Amino acid sequence: MDRAITLIVNNRQVSEIVPPAMTLLDFLRRRLHLMGTKEVCREGDCGACSVLIGEGEKDRVTYRSVTSCIFPVIKAAGKHVVTIEGLNRRGLNFLQREFLAEGATQCGFCTPGFLVSLSGYLLTHEDYSHQEAINALAGNICRCTGYLSIERATRKIVDQLQAANLSSRQKLEYLVDQQVLPPYFTNIARRLSDLPNQTYDESVPSDGKAYLMAGGSDLYVQKEEEISKSPLLFLDSRVFSYIERDGREIVIGGGTTFEAIRHSTLLQKYIPRLPDYLNLVASLPVRNSATVAGNIVNASPIADLTILFLALEARLILKSAQRERSLPLHKFYLGYKKLDKSSEEVLTEIRFTEPPDSFRFNFEKVSKRMHLDIASVNSAFSVTLAEDKIAEVRISAGGVAPVPLLLSETNTYLKDREISTSTVEEALKIANQEISPITDIRGSAQYKRLLLRQLILAHFVTLFPDKIDLAAFV
Amino acid sequence: MKNSDNIRHVRGESLFLDDFPVPEGTLYAAVYASPIAHGRMKRIDITRAMQVSGVRAILTAKDIPGQNQIGSIISDETLLAEDQVQYIGEPLAVVVADDQETARRACRLIELKADALPVVTDPREAYRQGHLLAPPVVFSMGDTESAWANCNLIVEDRVDIGGQEHLYLETQGALAWPTEGDGLKIISSTQGPTAVQRNIARVLNLPMHRVEVDVLRLGGAFGGKEDQATSWAVMAALAAHHLKQPVKLILSRKEDLYMTGKRHPYSADYKIGLNAGGKILAYQVTFYQNGGAYADLSTAILERTLFHATNSYYIPNVRATGISCRTNLPPNTAFRGFGGPQGMFVIEAAIHKAARALGWPAYRLQQKNLLEEGDLLYYGQKTEACHLKRCWDEAIDRYELSRREEEVHKFNSTHRLLKKGLAMMPITFGISFTNSLLNQASALIHVYTDGSIGISTAAIEMGQGVNQKIRTVVARLFSVDIDRVKMETTNTTRIANTSATAASTGADLNGNAALIAGQTILNRLRLHAAALLGIKDTKKIDIRDERVCIDGQPGDLYWPELIQSAYVNRISLSAQAYYATPGIYFNRRENKGKPFAYHVYGTAIIEATLDCLRGTYAIDSVQIVHDFGQSLDPLVDRGQVEGAVVQGIGWLTLEELVQDSQGRLLSNTFSTYKVPDIYSAPGEIRLTFLSGVDNPLGPFNSKAIGEPPLMYGIGAYFAILNAMREFSPELNFNYRAPLTPERVLLSLYQTKLMET
Ligand code: FES
Ligand code: FES
């Protein structure tokens, strides 16, 4: 069913009737003829279509970058959408000047995407750092420049701006003043609050055939054609997005985005390197859209977040109109892309028990390209020691079986043992028998076997370098 | 700056094919392509597709009024297959509909009925079965057979090199609309507007002057739109011609990936012989080129492989054989370097392996054999103004190779699981189309009455900055503000019979043509100024910084007034000019000659760090001394080097094309074919412009830049390999590219594998 939406695109209020699955990219290019936003891959993997989405909350607007090719336009209803055209001012803005000065554009096809992503970074961060700015650009592919000029420009931009300790209003004014943003940005909050309230509730038709979209980052890629014809439901991110403590448990709402997880101090307490791991997983725009529930329900045998949660012994809360139940994550997967979940059930929550103080965690992932590539093999490792012995241990592994795998036999073997060269040797052997990798685009079966061995070894080398003798393994 | 492409790029205002407002009544086309790699066609069933509402026509081979032929060098390729299909993705029908979705949906309802035939995707297998695109070619000098006897060391091996997807961000496409009298106008995303024009004329049976092709800019090309932009434009033209309505055809990313050709994969066997002092005495090599199903540009690419088979080394006895093999893959095509990189990779692999046998670091062996001034290259050309050794020595000096070696050594002895490797990579790359006739260009310059200048040439702007360079050349010639100078679109009605913008020659050929045209106008202006100012000797007159000078002294006559006055006095302010590179030829019976106007030289030092536990690596630095001649625009040239280096590294490391045995491309999306991202770019690329060099054949002494630096990327492969050897000195290594983390890990742990 087509829907009427009202939103602000750049400096203009727009009301249009759109089909529910229309992507924001098509809306911008075909309806509004804003051609600066480019179509390149249509799967969230290149960043050429990046735009900013600003959500109003009282008197402030919170922006995030998204890849518009996998973002449904109706989710932009009531929001501010910023494209490259909306960053232009008379002459050139500060970022554009630096990009020119460093020669950070060649064919120009990727350039609007880079500038939008970088503007998004400047809008959403407080303490600017070169490293984080680059991270915000990691989802943008350029085939011409080799990136070095883009890095140089970015460094110069970040070095010249200082926005720490500014309120959100002050920051907007500062960025306008520095010619990063055009002046109209300062009155967007007010204009957003004047927009009509727009919520969409489509009920599930009696045949149960509807797509429930969480972030959409995978659904568009896999099923663009089907979703364009079916009713589409949205997991409302405001309702299901939270990370909190509940007694001795940590609870994560199904609609929580990867980026929210990355920034969670609560989770970082147990997994200090969480931000690094998530950098490997997906680019910022995808992290801004992709959700935990989507990642788990999508059932890819290689889903990074699922592998991580497996090692935390997470449980899932599944809800339908009739009932609610809880299920250990590792029991959720019945076979390749087969789930213990009825079509009425929605994955609303992920829970795990708060780890004890001696808890240690490690995550490993190897893919052809180090960042933002689907893993050949990934593995997570959680362990608690009592005295010198392993009290609890969970190793999970992706890419080595039809489902994300908890290496139960390996884990059982390791429990109550001391970490030593011979224990690890034996564990590697057992792990090797638990897995059944296949040859595919991510690597040969032989490679995946070897790689899992290396990654398990890497867990021990990373967390307990003194307890094993490397010579036995390499 | 107002006429700079880059300003429009950063504002998102540059128009690419998909951004132009389309004419009223535009229809959309999609291509139905063969789902099988080899088969005898029985029929194409379009009944269901025709029933889709919104479908306007489905065109097949029988709807072609002229020749069903688009082969460029060899006429072996149909626009739409007629009786045999040769690869998955071979176009069979063009579906035209009211909108793009409908056209694509209808495509999925078409069915090909065919008898499947055996599929060959491996070039050596194709060779064994006698499937060749052209007879083998041999280049040689001296006598390798008798030279082996004088060698103290002979090494033989096999090398396998993967292909590479261009992954220009803008996919292939064209927009065609009918003009009066059966004519057509086409906007095409092509490097070769004349190829598009000529093939449309051939397929539609029209004289070329009825077909106007216009190109504003491309969103990247890298060779992928030299020959392979043509078919899509011809299909759009065919549809527009039939329906008498504008037709737009743009490939989706997936279609582009599986239907178009790539950089050629090669397999090669070599034999290299050295004397005790490390001089290479003889080199023999056979290249099996995986050409794909049709000839495309494969034979020319193979030739360049042969031209660069000895890279930067003087070798007295050489025999190189090139075999272009026909396989059931999309026709492979031009890609930055045009076969040169593969030729260079093989000799580097040979040197690396020979150095191992000698117990030397590879760079010592490289150094012993570097080309010097006046050396005879084995295809008959002598090196001239050879700055190779200068680049090499300066790189070693400036980047402190010996200190770096020590550091790497220290690092390696203190790290168990991390190892570093260093490699040097010299390059010598010939500039000119090796098909000498293509080395011609023309330019048309108009000076308008307000003093602004418009230039038309055959050069296509695709990100390489050729527009900026030609503007610079003309602004410098007239000595006016560059803002006055604008590049026009490349249009076949203004510039006829163009050569594609390729072979790194765009700025040279078109810049030189523009210089000649500009000079003609300048001469008229000086004559006029002399008359105006009453000066007898025109030689005393010139223009500097927008002012007419007499004996170098600026007067009161400024450019706008001079132009206005010339116009009023009925002096032509336009000129057309022609340029052909002098002195080049190549005799294809003897395979000897002087194919190149000049060579580009340089040297890079590459450092890599390898994680020996996980098999992953990073390129820490690439440090280059490069011979740019006198750079027309250092920012553009630096950008070309950096981009090419990263593309070259990508080719040999993470970019892996994967096909199944039926030739179906499995790496067919952005998520399965990985090009370098910002994190996989080298930690640093340092660049030194070799000083004090000139080049009379380039505009204002500049040199071509597009392709040569890509080959520095080859050094990354050997830097990683050297790091691998630090970890396992006894490594038994197969020289195969790309060196993915998978290949690295499997090589490092060969013995562990046998245990499991
Ligand atoms: S088009 Fe590539 S991420 Fe959207
Ligand atoms: S400038 Fe061409 S892709 Fe980035």
Side-chain angles (χ1 to χ4, degrees), chain A residues 25 38-49 67-70:
Chain A
L25 175 65
K38 301 299 180 200
E39 171 175 338
V40 170
C41 70
R42 258 192 124 80
E43 53 172 336
D45 264 319
C46 78
C49 66
T67 42
S68 62
C69 66
I70 52 171

mmCIF file of all heavy atoms in Angstrom, chain A residues 25 38-49 67-70, ligand 1:
data_model
loop_
_atom_site.group_PDB
_atom_site.id
_atom_site.type_symbol
_atom_site.label_atom_id
_atom_site.label_comp_id
_atom_site.label_asym_id
_atom_site.label_seq_id
_atom_site.Cartn_x
_atom_site.Cartn_y
_atom_site.Cartn_z
ATOM 1 N N LEU A 25 17.277 5.993 -1.870
ATOM 2 C CA LEU A 25 18.083 6.353 -3.041
ATOM 3 C C LEU A 25 17.197 6.623 -4.259
ATOM 4 O O LEU A 25 17.328 7.645 -4.930
ATOM 5 C CB LEU A 25 19.069 5.223 -3.360
ATOM 6 C CG LEU A 25 19.898 5.412 -4.633
ATOM 7 C CD1 LEU A 25 20.828 6.607 -4.510
ATOM 8 C CD2 LEU A 25 20.713 4.157 -4.946
ATOM 9 N N LYS A 38 24.828 8.896 -5.540
ATOM 10 C CA LYS A 38 25.089 7.972 -6.646
ATOM 11 C C LYS A 38 24.672 6.545 -6.328
ATOM 12 O O LYS A 38 24.747 6.100 -5.182
ATOM 13 C CB LYS A 38 26.592 7.964 -6.983
ATOM 14 C CG LYS A 38 27.140 9.317 -7.371
ATOM 15 C CD LYS A 38 26.466 9.862 -8.614
ATOM 16 C CE LYS A 38 27.020 11.224 -9.008
ATOM 17 N NZ LYS A 38 26.101 11.949 -9.882
ATOM 18 N N GLU A 39 24.290 5.851 -7.395
ATOM 19 C CA GLU A 39 23.994 4.424 -7.258
ATOM 20 C C GLU A 39 25.183 3.645 -7.803
ATOM 21 O O GLU A 39 25.592 3.848 -8.944
ATOM 22 C CB GLU A 39 22.746 4.070 -8.056
ATOM 23 C CG GLU A 39 22.524 2.564 -8.121
ATOM 24 C CD GLU A 39 21.218 2.187 -8.808
ATOM 25 O OE1 GLU A 39 20.295 3.014 -8.870
ATOM 26 O OE2 GLU A 39 21.144 1.041 -9.287
ATOM 27 N N VAL A 40 25.734 2.762 -6.997
ATOM 28 C CA VAL A 40 26.892 1.992 -7.450
ATOM 29 C C VAL A 40 26.696 0.495 -7.236
ATOM 30 O O VAL A 40 26.827 -0.298 -8.157
ATOM 31 C CB VAL A 40 28.181 2.476 -6.746
ATOM 32 C CG1 VAL A 40 29.344 1.535 -7.033
ATOM 33 C CG2 VAL A 40 28.536 3.879 -7.219
ATOM 34 N N CYS A 41 26.389 0.110 -5.988
ATOM 35 C CA CYS A 41 26.335 -1.334 -5.725
ATOM 36 C C CYS A 41 24.943 -1.801 -5.312
ATOM 37 O O CYS A 41 24.601 -2.942 -5.463
ATOM 38 C CB CYS A 41 27.335 -1.708 -4.634
ATOM 39 S SG CYS A 41 26.866 -1.108 -2.994
ATOM 40 N N ARG A 42 24.180 -0.888 -4.759
ATOM 41 C CA ARG A 42 22.834 -1.219 -4.255
ATOM 42 C C ARG A 42 22.847 -2.318 -3.217
ATOM 43 O O ARG A 42 21.909 -3.087 -3.104
ATOM 44 C CB ARG A 42 21.937 -1.653 -5.424
ATOM 45 C CG ARG A 42 20.984 -0.565 -5.868
ATOM 46 C CD ARG A 42 19.914 -1.085 -6.801
ATOM 47 N NE ARG A 42 18.592 -0.790 -6.270
ATOM 48 C CZ ARG A 42 17.993 0.390 -6.373
ATOM 49 N NH1 ARG A 42 18.568 1.389 -6.985
ATOM 50 N NH2 ARG A 42 16.801 0.582 -5.850
ATOM 51 N N GLU A 43 23.911 -2.442 -2.498
ATOM 52 C CA GLU A 43 23.898 -3.425 -1.415
ATOM 53 C C GLU A 43 24.594 -2.915 -0.165
ATOM 54 O O GLU A 43 25.037 -3.703 0.667
ATOM 55 C CB GLU A 43 24.443 -4.782 -1.875
ATOM 56 C CG GLU A 43 25.810 -4.709 -2.532
ATOM 57 C CD GLU A 43 26.394 -6.098 -2.797
ATOM 58 O OE1 GLU A 43 26.012 -7.053 -2.116
ATOM 59 O OE2 GLU A 43 27.251 -6.193 -3.682
ATOM 60 N N GLY A 44 24.733 -1.637 -0.048
ATOM 61 C CA GLY A 44 25.301 -1.096 1.185
ATOM 62 C C GLY A 44 26.798 -1.275 1.298
ATOM 63 O O GLY A 44 27.365 -1.118 2.379
ATOM 64 N N ASP A 45 27.454 -1.584 0.187
ATOM 65 C CA ASP A 45 28.858 -1.942 0.274
ATOM 66 C C ASP A 45 29.829 -0.936 -0.332
ATOM 67 O O ASP A 45 31.010 -1.231 -0.462
ATOM 68 C CB ASP A 45 29.090 -3.301 -0.388
ATOM 69 C CG ASP A 45 29.067 -4.427 0.635
ATOM 70 O OD1 ASP A 45 29.628 -4.231 1.725
ATOM 71 O OD2 ASP A 45 28.485 -5.478 0.348
ATOM 72 N N CYS A 46 29.338 0.239 -0.736
ATOM 73 C CA CYS A 46 30.275 1.165 -1.363
ATOM 74 C C CYS A 46 30.184 2.594 -0.839
ATOM 75 O O CYS A 46 31.112 3.370 -1.001
ATOM 76 C CB CYS A 46 30.086 1.176 -2.873
ATOM 77 S SG CYS A 46 28.655 2.136 -3.383
ATOM 78 N N GLY A 47 29.074 2.943 -0.238
ATOM 79 C CA GLY A 47 28.949 4.269 0.364
ATOM 80 C C GLY A 47 28.687 5.415 -0.603
ATOM 81 O O GLY A 47 28.560 6.565 -0.174
ATOM 82 N N ALA A 48 28.584 5.133 -1.901
ATOM 83 C CA ALA A 48 28.381 6.223 -2.869
ATOM 84 C C ALA A 48 27.013 6.870 -2.704
ATOM 85 O O ALA A 48 26.795 7.986 -3.158
ATOM 86 C CB ALA A 48 28.545 5.702 -4.292
ATOM 87 N N CYS A 49 26.101 6.157 -2.069
ATOM 88 C CA CYS A 49 24.736 6.655 -1.913
ATOM 89 C C CYS A 49 24.496 7.204 -0.518
ATOM 90 O O CYS A 49 23.357 7.375 -0.112
ATOM 91 C CB CYS A 49 23.764 5.517 -2.189
ATOM 92 S SG CYS A 49 23.920 4.231 -0.928
ATOM 93 N N THR A 67 23.299 4.267 4.210
ATOM 94 C CA THR A 67 23.415 4.037 2.773
ATOM 95 C C THR A 67 21.991 4.003 2.223
ATOM 96 O O THR A 67 21.224 3.097 2.533
ATOM 97 C CB THR A 67 24.150 2.729 2.485
ATOM 98 O OG1 THR A 67 23.686 1.727 3.386
ATOM 99 C CG2 THR A 67 25.635 2.892 2.711
ATOM 100 N N SER A 68 21.668 4.983 1.403
ATOM 101 C CA SER A 68 20.274 5.173 1.006
ATOM 102 C C SER A 68 19.761 4.067 0.087
ATOM 103 O O SER A 68 18.572 3.921 -0.095
ATOM 104 C CB SER A 68 20.096 6.540 0.340
ATOM 105 O OG SER A 68 20.871 6.616 -0.840
ATOM 106 N N CYS A 69 20.666 3.269 -0.477
ATOM 107 C CA CYS A 69 20.226 2.212 -1.390
ATOM 108 C C CYS A 69 19.559 1.068 -0.663
ATOM 109 O O CYS A 69 18.889 0.248 -1.284
ATOM 110 C CB CYS A 69 21.401 1.684 -2.215
ATOM 111 S SG CYS A 69 22.649 0.835 -1.244
ATOM 112 N N ILE A 70 19.781 0.954 0.641
ATOM 113 C CA ILE A 70 19.121 -0.115 1.391
ATOM 114 C C ILE A 70 18.335 0.474 2.552
ATOM 115 O O ILE A 70 18.175 -0.140 3.593
ATOM 116 C CB ILE A 70 20.130 -1.181 1.885
ATOM 117 C CG1 ILE A 70 21.287 -0.525 2.635
ATOM 118 C CG2 ILE A 70 20.659 -2.019 0.751
ATOM 119 C CD1 ILE A 70 22.209 -1.522 3.326
HETATM 120 S S1 FES C 1 24.986 2.104 -3.784
HETATM 121 FE FE1 FES C 1 26.645 1.182 -2.796
HETATM 122 S S2 FES C 1 26.180 1.461 -0.722
HETATM 123 FE FE2 FES C 1 24.440 2.190 -1.729
#
